[in-house]
Amino acid sequence: MSGAEAAIARASELVGPALRDAVGRLAPELRGPVEHHLAGGGKGLRGALAVIGAAAAGGTETDGVPGAVAVELVHNYSLVHDDVIDGDEERRHRPSVWAVFGVPWAIVAGDALANLALSVLLEADSPTKLHAAQVLTEATGLMIGGQAQDMAFEGRRQVGVEECLRMAEGKTGALLGCAGAIGAVLAGAADDVVKALEHFGQRLGLAFQAVDDVLGIWGETARTGKPVGSDLLAHKKSLPVAIALARGGPELEALLADPIAPEDLGAATARIEATGAREEAMAIADRAYEEAMAALGSVPLQAGPREELAAIARFVTERDR
Amino acid sequence: MSGAEAAIARASELVGPALRDAVGRLAPELRGPVEHHLAGGGKGLRGALAVIGAAAAGGTETDGVPGAVAVELVHNYSLVHDDVIDGDEERRHRPSVWAVFGVPWAIVAGDALANLALSVLLEADSPTKLHAAQVLTEATGLMIGGQAQDMAFEGRRQVGVEECLRMAEGKTGALLGCAGAIGAVLAGAADDVVKALEHFGQRLGLAFQAVDDVLGIWGETARTGKPVGSDLLAHKKSLPVAIALARGGPELEALLADPIAPEDLGAATARIEATGAREEAMAIADRAYEEAMAALGSVPLQAGPREELAAIARFVTERDR
């Protein structure tokens, strides 16, 4: 286990019981779909950022727990709804909620998790919980906006690299930024510390998304948990696709706009790679990672937790492999 | 126009612009589905209770506006999602969001409205907005729990009258209770006043739901906006059905559990009526209405707004007809 994995595991031991307590307050009818989803695990990355962020800002990890539970609940509600939206029958190598319980139960279970996130946060024993709730709702709004942009992209032939990055900053970056900051907010940290941790999380989110997009095209199912090529088959305008479209000319645009037969997937993937889109996406990930690390160094933080945040950033952008 | 309608219309002139401002902050991709839904109108009942509740508690109607916008946003998000859940292709005599834009856009538009509700409230210029947000998330959680119970009931043969009432208290009563209370909270009202206005809204919600359930079986489409008999065809365990099941014996239970052919709808409706379920549901509505009125009289309130709240209660429980 790497240092990052150990830190995430330790955080999960703190956040997990509080998360289960919160879910235990839902109406009994909702527990089936919610517990099915949560039993799939998940890294607990966002919750770990929240509690370690609280410690980095000079508080205790416990200060960050309500924020950690809230960001984990928002993240999980978005996954439950996204699986319906994308028609994904699998999540974390198990059937998704809608695939087992049907679309109505996935909708209402996601709604319940979203609301529970705010309930937990507003009950926190912290004089700054109002600010924390504002940070969470702002990030959630950006996440939803990014999701809507992503959906709109699927129906378009062309998507610019810049707008693709803005979409990822919303869809993935905003909640990771919130995860970085919310524990520090609850611990009563100064504004510049909160902003630096938020920026750390946002840039880490972009780096993570760029790497994830590359794995979505060139990764193995065993690692990604998604069928190979599913992003291309769904006409997802992920970052490498946007880069390839900007470089590849009308012929590539037509290739990616038309329905792709599974047997043509290898050729389409090679055409995208030939534009240099894979390297460019990884270069964007590198720059975002460096910006995340620079944010960590821009304010005084507790050394131990800061090192853990750095280790987690290396881990989730696949720098430990 | 009755006094109630005039009061609701006046409140809508105050709440409507703030609601449109809030929606205008959503990502452009979301405006299509959201504005399609909101263009259908809706009474604005919850928003009216919030601003008139603020005035009844001794504040100004303007004090209640952020709460009014928030409860209207929560109500509308629940309608957008409920139409997907129930497969209802129409809402307010127009195609529902999912019927026009598809299920994914209905999910994400509802999510955006839900989050926007909290954002608006947490930005309110009121020292008690944290309490208001707690009242809203608690009510929203009860509403979602009630929705989940309602869904679970559809798959059951028997539902008791008591559990049916508990479901309606969650699904309909909780948000109306919140609407009654949230303006008073924002206006800084005393706890007993807040509690009385909350209880008023909760009991009004139950009365309203009981009347709505009766109209769902015996009402005309022109008034209800729903096809005649759709509740029975969907095996909804509405209040008259629960009462009839408790009184009608196994034969009626079998009749209502099996798929009902449209041509048998009239006979099924008559069988329910023969148990006295229609009268009993209206009697429950009467009692809940009286409890709502008693709550209004239990604390000192400003006379003008209190009269308006009473008029609205008569209006929405169909006592003006």
PDB file of all heavy atoms in Angstrom, chain B residues 140-169:
ATOM      1  N   THR B 140     -37.488  18.621   2.830  1.00  0.00           N
ATOM      2  CA  THR B 140     -37.178  17.959   1.557  1.00  0.00           C
ATOM      3  C   THR B 140     -36.888  16.480   1.787  1.00  0.00           C
ATOM      4  O   THR B 140     -37.317  15.617   1.009  1.00  0.00           O
ATOM      5  CB  THR B 140     -35.990  18.655   0.869  1.00  0.00           C
ATOM      6  OG1 THR B 140     -36.288  20.042   0.695  1.00  0.00           O
ATOM      7  CG2 THR B 140     -35.705  18.038  -0.494  1.00  0.00           C
ATOM      8  N   GLY B 141     -36.192  16.178   2.872  1.00  0.00           N
ATOM      9  CA  GLY B 141     -35.925  14.779   3.197  1.00  0.00           C
ATOM     10  C   GLY B 141     -37.209  14.010   3.468  1.00  0.00           C
ATOM     11  O   GLY B 141     -37.371  12.863   3.019  1.00  0.00           O
ATOM     12  N   LEU B 142     -38.142  14.628   4.180  1.00  0.00           N
ATOM     13  CA  LEU B 142     -39.435  13.973   4.443  1.00  0.00           C
ATOM     14  C   LEU B 142     -40.226  13.801   3.149  1.00  0.00           C
ATOM     15  O   LEU B 142     -40.884  12.784   2.932  1.00  0.00           O
ATOM     16  CB  LEU B 142     -40.234  14.786   5.463  1.00  0.00           C
ATOM     17  CG  LEU B 142     -39.656  14.797   6.887  1.00  0.00           C
ATOM     18  CD1 LEU B 142     -40.390  15.820   7.751  1.00  0.00           C
ATOM     19  CD2 LEU B 142     -39.753  13.404   7.523  1.00  0.00           C
ATOM     20  N   MET B 143     -40.156  14.814   2.276  1.00  0.00           N
ATOM     21  CA  MET B 143     -40.845  14.732   0.983  1.00  0.00           C
ATOM     22  C   MET B 143     -40.313  13.557   0.155  1.00  0.00           C
ATOM     23  O   MET B 143     -41.087  12.777  -0.423  1.00  0.00           O
ATOM     24  CB  MET B 143     -40.649  16.046   0.221  1.00  0.00           C
ATOM     25  CG  MET B 143     -41.249  16.062  -1.163  1.00  0.00           C
ATOM     26  SD  MET B 143     -40.738  17.539  -2.108  1.00  0.00           S
ATOM     27  CE  MET B 143     -39.094  17.037  -2.662  1.00  0.00           C
ATOM     28  N   ILE B 144     -38.992  13.420   0.110  1.00  0.00           N
ATOM     29  CA  ILE B 144     -38.386  12.324  -0.657  1.00  0.00           C
ATOM     30  C   ILE B 144     -38.758  10.981  -0.033  1.00  0.00           C
ATOM     31  O   ILE B 144     -39.072  10.017  -0.745  1.00  0.00           O
ATOM     32  CB  ILE B 144     -36.854  12.514  -0.723  1.00  0.00           C
ATOM     33  CG1 ILE B 144     -36.502  13.777  -1.519  1.00  0.00           C
ATOM     34  CG2 ILE B 144     -36.181  11.286  -1.337  1.00  0.00           C
ATOM     35  CD1 ILE B 144     -35.048  14.237  -1.368  1.00  0.00           C
ATOM     36  N   GLY B 145     -38.744  10.910   1.295  1.00  0.00           N
ATOM     37  CA  GLY B 145     -39.158   9.677   1.965  1.00  0.00           C
ATOM     38  C   GLY B 145     -40.601   9.323   1.649  1.00  0.00           C
ATOM     39  O   GLY B 145     -40.929   8.153   1.423  1.00  0.00           O
ATOM     40  N   GLY B 146     -41.476  10.325   1.619  1.00  0.00           N
ATOM     41  CA  GLY B 146     -42.879  10.095   1.266  1.00  0.00           C
ATOM     42  C   GLY B 146     -43.022   9.603  -0.169  1.00  0.00           C
ATOM     43  O   GLY B 146     -43.819   8.698  -0.457  1.00  0.00           O
ATOM     44  N   GLN B 147     -42.238  10.194  -1.056  1.00  0.00           N
ATOM     45  CA  GLN B 147     -42.252   9.751  -2.459  1.00  0.00           C
ATOM     46  C   GLN B 147     -41.824   8.284  -2.553  1.00  0.00           C
ATOM     47  O   GLN B 147     -42.426   7.490  -3.290  1.00  0.00           O
ATOM     48  CB  GLN B 147     -41.308  10.650  -3.272  1.00  0.00           C
ATOM     49  CG  GLN B 147     -40.980  10.158  -4.671  1.00  0.00           C
ATOM     50  CD  GLN B 147     -42.180  10.180  -5.599  1.00  0.00           C
ATOM     51  OE1 GLN B 147     -43.179  10.843  -5.339  1.00  0.00           O
ATOM     52  NE2 GLN B 147     -42.092   9.422  -6.680  1.00  0.00           N
ATOM     53  N   ALA B 148     -40.791   7.920  -1.800  1.00  0.00           N
ATOM     54  CA  ALA B 148     -40.307   6.532  -1.820  1.00  0.00           C
ATOM     55  C   ALA B 148     -41.380   5.589  -1.285  1.00  0.00           C
ATOM     56  O   ALA B 148     -41.603   4.508  -1.837  1.00  0.00           O
ATOM     57  CB  ALA B 148     -39.016   6.409  -1.002  1.00  0.00           C
ATOM     58  N   GLN B 149     -42.067   6.000  -0.209  1.00  0.00           N
ATOM     59  CA  GLN B 149     -43.154   5.169   0.319  1.00  0.00           C
ATOM     60  C   GLN B 149     -44.255   4.984  -0.713  1.00  0.00           C
ATOM     61  O   GLN B 149     -44.776   3.893  -0.906  1.00  0.00           O
ATOM     62  CB  GLN B 149     -43.752   5.827   1.564  1.00  0.00           C
ATOM     63  CG  GLN B 149     -42.946   5.610   2.817  1.00  0.00           C
ATOM     64  CD  GLN B 149     -43.662   6.230   4.006  1.00  0.00           C
ATOM     65  OE1 GLN B 149     -43.745   7.451   4.090  1.00  0.00           O
ATOM     66  NE2 GLN B 149     -44.170   5.410   4.896  1.00  0.00           N
ATOM     67  N   ASP B 150     -44.609   6.092  -1.380  1.00  0.00           N
ATOM     68  CA  ASP B 150     -45.650   6.042  -2.406  1.00  0.00           C
ATOM     69  C   ASP B 150     -45.272   5.033  -3.499  1.00  0.00           C
ATOM     70  O   ASP B 150     -46.104   4.247  -3.958  1.00  0.00           O
ATOM     71  CB  ASP B 150     -45.817   7.448  -2.997  1.00  0.00           C
ATOM     72  CG  ASP B 150     -47.130   7.613  -3.751  1.00  0.00           C
ATOM     73  OD1 ASP B 150     -48.067   6.829  -3.510  1.00  0.00           O
ATOM     74  OD2 ASP B 150     -47.216   8.537  -4.584  1.00  0.00           O
ATOM     75  N   MET B 151     -44.021   5.060  -3.904  1.00  0.00           N
ATOM     76  CA  MET B 151     -43.552   4.120  -4.931  1.00  0.00           C
ATOM     77  C   MET B 151     -43.626   2.687  -4.421  1.00  0.00           C
ATOM     78  O   MET B 151     -44.010   1.776  -5.159  1.00  0.00           O
ATOM     79  CB  MET B 151     -42.119   4.466  -5.331  1.00  0.00           C
ATOM     80  CG  MET B 151     -42.010   5.760  -6.115  1.00  0.00           C
ATOM     81  SD  MET B 151     -40.323   6.455  -6.116  1.00  0.00           S
ATOM     82  CE  MET B 151     -39.431   5.160  -6.981  1.00  0.00           C
ATOM     83  N   ALA B 152     -43.241   2.488  -3.156  1.00  0.00           N
ATOM     84  CA  ALA B 152     -43.276   1.137  -2.593  1.00  0.00           C
ATOM     85  C   ALA B 152     -44.718   0.634  -2.506  1.00  0.00           C
ATOM     86  O   ALA B 152     -44.995  -0.547  -2.722  1.00  0.00           O
ATOM     87  CB  ALA B 152     -42.620   1.130  -1.207  1.00  0.00           C
ATOM     88  N   PHE B 153     -45.656   1.541  -2.209  1.00  0.00           N
ATOM     89  CA  PHE B 153     -47.074   1.161  -2.100  1.00  0.00           C
ATOM     90  C   PHE B 153     -47.609   0.592  -3.416  1.00  0.00           C
ATOM     91  O   PHE B 153     -48.467  -0.300  -3.403  1.00  0.00           O
ATOM     92  CB  PHE B 153     -47.929   2.381  -1.735  1.00  0.00           C
ATOM     93  CG  PHE B 153     -47.788   2.858  -0.313  1.00  0.00           C
ATOM     94  CD1 PHE B 153     -48.421   4.020   0.089  1.00  0.00           C
ATOM     95  CD2 PHE B 153     -47.034   2.151   0.616  1.00  0.00           C
ATOM     96  CE1 PHE B 153     -48.310   4.484   1.395  1.00  0.00           C
ATOM     97  CE2 PHE B 153     -46.914   2.605   1.930  1.00  0.00           C
ATOM     98  CZ  PHE B 153     -47.558   3.777   2.321  1.00  0.00           C
ATOM     99  N   GLU B 154     -47.125   1.148  -4.543  1.00  0.00           N
ATOM    100  CA  GLU B 154     -47.687   0.717  -5.833  1.00  0.00           C
ATOM    101  C   GLU B 154     -47.510  -0.776  -6.063  1.00  0.00           C
ATOM    102  O   GLU B 154     -48.303  -1.396  -6.759  1.00  0.00           O
ATOM    103  CB  GLU B 154     -47.058   1.512  -6.988  1.00  0.00           C
ATOM    104  CG  GLU B 154     -47.584   2.936  -7.046  1.00  0.00           C
ATOM    105  CD  GLU B 154     -46.965   3.767  -8.169  1.00  0.00           C
ATOM    106  OE1 GLU B 154     -46.713   3.209  -9.247  1.00  0.00           O
ATOM    107  OE2 GLU B 154     -46.753   4.972  -7.964  1.00  0.00           O
ATOM    108  N   GLY B 155     -46.453  -1.337  -5.470  1.00  0.00           N
ATOM    109  CA  GLY B 155     -46.195  -2.753  -5.660  1.00  0.00           C
ATOM    110  C   GLY B 155     -46.845  -3.638  -4.603  1.00  0.00           C
ATOM    111  O   GLY B 155     -46.664  -4.848  -4.622  1.00  0.00           O
ATOM    112  N   ARG B 156     -47.608  -3.026  -3.682  1.00  0.00           N
ATOM    113  CA  ARG B 156     -48.226  -3.807  -2.611  1.00  0.00           C
ATOM    114  C   ARG B 156     -49.734  -3.941  -2.831  1.00  0.00           C
ATOM    115  O   ARG B 156     -50.369  -3.061  -3.383  1.00  0.00           O
ATOM    116  CB  ARG B 156     -47.962  -3.129  -1.257  1.00  0.00           C
ATOM    117  CG  ARG B 156     -46.536  -3.305  -0.773  1.00  0.00           C
ATOM    118  CD  ARG B 156     -46.226  -2.424   0.415  1.00  0.00           C
ATOM    119  NE  ARG B 156     -47.251  -2.506   1.448  1.00  0.00           N
ATOM    120  CZ  ARG B 156     -47.275  -1.747   2.541  1.00  0.00           C
ATOM    121  NH1 ARG B 156     -46.323  -0.849   2.732  1.00  0.00           N
ATOM    122  NH2 ARG B 156     -48.238  -1.877   3.421  1.00  0.00           N
ATOM    123  N   ARG B 157     -50.302  -5.052  -2.339  1.00  0.00           N
ATOM    124  CA  ARG B 157     -51.756  -5.252  -2.470  1.00  0.00           C
ATOM    125  C   ARG B 157     -52.505  -4.475  -1.409  1.00  0.00           C
ATOM    126  O   ARG B 157     -53.584  -3.946  -1.667  1.00  0.00           O
ATOM    127  CB  ARG B 157     -52.096  -6.743  -2.332  1.00  0.00           C
ATOM    128  CG  ARG B 157     -51.638  -7.587  -3.498  1.00  0.00           C
ATOM    129  CD  ARG B 157     -51.876  -9.061  -3.208  1.00  0.00           C
ATOM    130  NE  ARG B 157     -53.300  -9.400  -3.180  1.00  0.00           N
ATOM    131  CZ  ARG B 157     -53.966  -9.900  -4.225  1.00  0.00           C
ATOM    132  NH1 ARG B 157     -53.340 -10.107  -5.365  1.00  0.00           N
ATOM    133  NH2 ARG B 157     -55.243 -10.191  -4.123  1.00  0.00           N
ATOM    134  N   GLN B 158     -51.960  -4.457  -0.189  1.00  0.00           N
ATOM    135  CA  GLN B 158     -52.632  -3.823   0.945  1.00  0.00           C
ATOM    136  C   GLN B 158     -51.801  -2.660   1.468  1.00  0.00           C
ATOM    137  O   GLN B 158     -50.587  -2.784   1.620  1.00  0.00           O
ATOM    138  CB  GLN B 158     -52.784  -4.826   2.095  1.00  0.00           C
ATOM    139  CG  GLN B 158     -54.059  -5.634   2.065  1.00  0.00           C
ATOM    140  CD  GLN B 158     -55.284  -4.831   2.494  1.00  0.00           C
ATOM    141  OE1 GLN B 158     -55.219  -3.635   2.767  1.00  0.00           O
ATOM    142  NE2 GLN B 158     -56.430  -5.502   2.511  1.00  0.00           N
ATOM    143  N   VAL B 159     -52.443  -1.542   1.726  1.00  0.00           N
ATOM    144  CA  VAL B 159     -51.786  -0.427   2.399  1.00  0.00           C
ATOM    145  C   VAL B 159     -52.765   0.103   3.441  1.00  0.00           C
ATOM    146  O   VAL B 159     -53.927   0.379   3.133  1.00  0.00           O
ATOM    147  CB  VAL B 159     -51.423   0.692   1.402  1.00  0.00           C
ATOM    148  CG1 VAL B 159     -51.005   1.956   2.140  1.00  0.00           C
ATOM    149  CG2 VAL B 159     -50.297   0.229   0.477  1.00  0.00           C
ATOM    150  N   GLY B 160     -52.302   0.215   4.679  1.00  0.00           N
ATOM    151  CA  GLY B 160     -53.183   0.681   5.742  1.00  0.00           C
ATOM    152  C   GLY B 160     -53.454   2.176   5.628  1.00  0.00           C
ATOM    153  O   GLY B 160     -52.670   2.925   5.051  1.00  0.00           O
ATOM    154  N   VAL B 161     -54.603   2.588   6.208  1.00  0.00           N
ATOM    155  CA  VAL B 161     -54.976   4.005   6.156  1.00  0.00           C
ATOM    156  C   VAL B 161     -53.939   4.854   6.889  1.00  0.00           C
ATOM    157  O   VAL B 161     -53.537   5.913   6.415  1.00  0.00           O
ATOM    158  CB  VAL B 161     -56.385   4.215   6.749  1.00  0.00           C
ATOM    159  CG1 VAL B 161     -56.739   5.700   6.786  1.00  0.00           C
ATOM    160  CG2 VAL B 161     -57.426   3.450   5.937  1.00  0.00           C
ATOM    161  N   GLU B 162     -53.483   4.340   8.049  1.00  0.00           N
ATOM    162  CA  GLU B 162     -52.509   5.120   8.815  1.00  0.00           C
ATOM    163  C   GLU B 162     -51.213   5.332   8.042  1.00  0.00           C
ATOM    164  O   GLU B 162     -50.677   6.430   8.009  1.00  0.00           O
ATOM    165  CB  GLU B 162     -52.210   4.444  10.168  1.00  0.00           C
ATOM    166  CG  GLU B 162     -53.254   4.743  11.229  1.00  0.00           C
ATOM    167  CD  GLU B 162     -53.484   6.250  11.428  1.00  0.00           C
ATOM    168  OE1 GLU B 162     -52.487   6.977  11.552  1.00  0.00           O
ATOM    169  OE2 GLU B 162     -54.642   6.687  11.436  1.00  0.00           O
ATOM    170  N   GLU B 163     -50.693   4.272   7.423  1.00  0.00           N
ATOM    171  CA  GLU B 163     -49.420   4.445   6.718  1.00  0.00           C
ATOM    172  C   GLU B 163     -49.602   5.292   5.463  1.00  0.00           C
ATOM    173  O   GLU B 163     -48.703   6.016   5.048  1.00  0.00           O
ATOM    174  CB  GLU B 163     -48.703   3.117   6.433  1.00  0.00           C
ATOM    175  CG  GLU B 163     -49.480   2.134   5.602  1.00  0.00           C
ATOM    176  CD  GLU B 163     -48.711   0.808   5.395  1.00  0.00           C
ATOM    177  OE1 GLU B 163     -47.476   0.764   5.497  1.00  0.00           O
ATOM    178  OE2 GLU B 163     -49.387  -0.195   5.111  1.00  0.00           O
ATOM    179  N   CYS B 164     -50.818   5.231   4.897  1.00  0.00           N
ATOM    180  CA  CYS B 164     -51.111   6.100   3.760  1.00  0.00           C
ATOM    181  C   CYS B 164     -51.088   7.576   4.196  1.00  0.00           C
ATOM    182  O   CYS B 164     -50.566   8.444   3.477  1.00  0.00           O
ATOM    183  CB  CYS B 164     -52.462   5.723   3.169  1.00  0.00           C
ATOM    184  SG  CYS B 164     -52.877   6.632   1.690  1.00  0.00           S
ATOM    185  N   LEU B 165     -51.643   7.851   5.364  1.00  0.00           N
ATOM    186  CA  LEU B 165     -51.619   9.228   5.879  1.00  0.00           C
ATOM    187  C   LEU B 165     -50.192   9.672   6.188  1.00  0.00           C
ATOM    188  O   LEU B 165     -49.806  10.806   5.882  1.00  0.00           O
ATOM    189  CB  LEU B 165     -52.492   9.339   7.144  1.00  0.00           C
ATOM    190  CG  LEU B 165     -53.997   9.207   6.902  1.00  0.00           C
ATOM    191  CD1 LEU B 165     -54.753   9.130   8.225  1.00  0.00           C
ATOM    192  CD2 LEU B 165     -54.524  10.380   6.067  1.00  0.00           C
ATOM    193  N   ARG B 166     -49.372   8.767   6.758  1.00  0.00           N
ATOM    194  CA  ARG B 166     -47.976   9.118   7.047  1.00  0.00           C
ATOM    195  C   ARG B 166     -47.247   9.457   5.742  1.00  0.00           C
ATOM    196  O   ARG B 166     -46.453  10.386   5.676  1.00  0.00           O
ATOM    197  CB  ARG B 166     -47.242   7.966   7.742  1.00  0.00           C
ATOM    198  CG  ARG B 166     -47.739   7.549   9.124  1.00  0.00           C
ATOM    199  CD  ARG B 166     -47.567   8.592  10.195  1.00  0.00           C
ATOM    200  NE  ARG B 166     -48.722   9.484  10.254  1.00  0.00           N
ATOM    201  CZ  ARG B 166     -49.931   9.190  10.753  1.00  0.00           C
ATOM    202  NH1 ARG B 166     -50.191   7.984  11.232  1.00  0.00           N
ATOM    203  NH2 ARG B 166     -50.909  10.076  10.761  1.00  0.00           N
ATOM    204  N   MET B 167     -47.527   8.661   4.697  1.00  0.00           N
ATOM    205  CA  MET B 167     -46.886   8.909   3.399  1.00  0.00           C
ATOM    206  C   MET B 167     -47.264  10.294   2.878  1.00  0.00           C
ATOM    207  O   MET B 167     -46.406  11.069   2.435  1.00  0.00           O
ATOM    208  CB  MET B 167     -47.315   7.808   2.413  1.00  0.00           C
ATOM    209  CG  MET B 167     -46.756   7.922   1.021  1.00  0.00           C
ATOM    210  SD  MET B 167     -47.711   9.047  -0.064  1.00  0.00           S
ATOM    211  CE  MET B 167     -49.120   7.998  -0.464  1.00  0.00           C
ATOM    212  N   ALA B 168     -48.569  10.629   2.952  1.00  0.00           N
ATOM    213  CA  ALA B 168     -49.018  11.933   2.447  1.00  0.00           C
ATOM    214  C   ALA B 168     -48.453  13.084   3.280  1.00  0.00           C
ATOM    215  O   ALA B 168     -48.146  14.155   2.757  1.00  0.00           O
ATOM    216  CB  ALA B 168     -50.547  11.987   2.435  1.00  0.00           C
ATOM    217  N   GLU B 169     -48.309  12.839   4.576  1.00  0.00           N
ATOM    218  CA  GLU B 169     -47.701  13.872   5.428  1.00  0.00           C
ATOM    219  C   GLU B 169     -46.276  14.167   4.978  1.00  0.00           C
ATOM    220  O   GLU B 169     -45.820  15.313   5.035  1.00  0.00           O
ATOM    221  CB  GLU B 169     -47.714  13.428   6.895  1.00  0.00           C
ATOM    222  CG  GLU B 169     -49.095  13.531   7.525  1.00  0.00           C
ATOM    223  CD  GLU B 169     -49.188  12.882   8.895  1.00  0.00           C
ATOM    224  OE1 GLU B 169     -48.168  12.359   9.388  1.00  0.00           O
ATOM    225  OE2 GLU B 169     -50.298  12.877   9.456  1.00  0.00           O
TER     226      GLU B 169
END
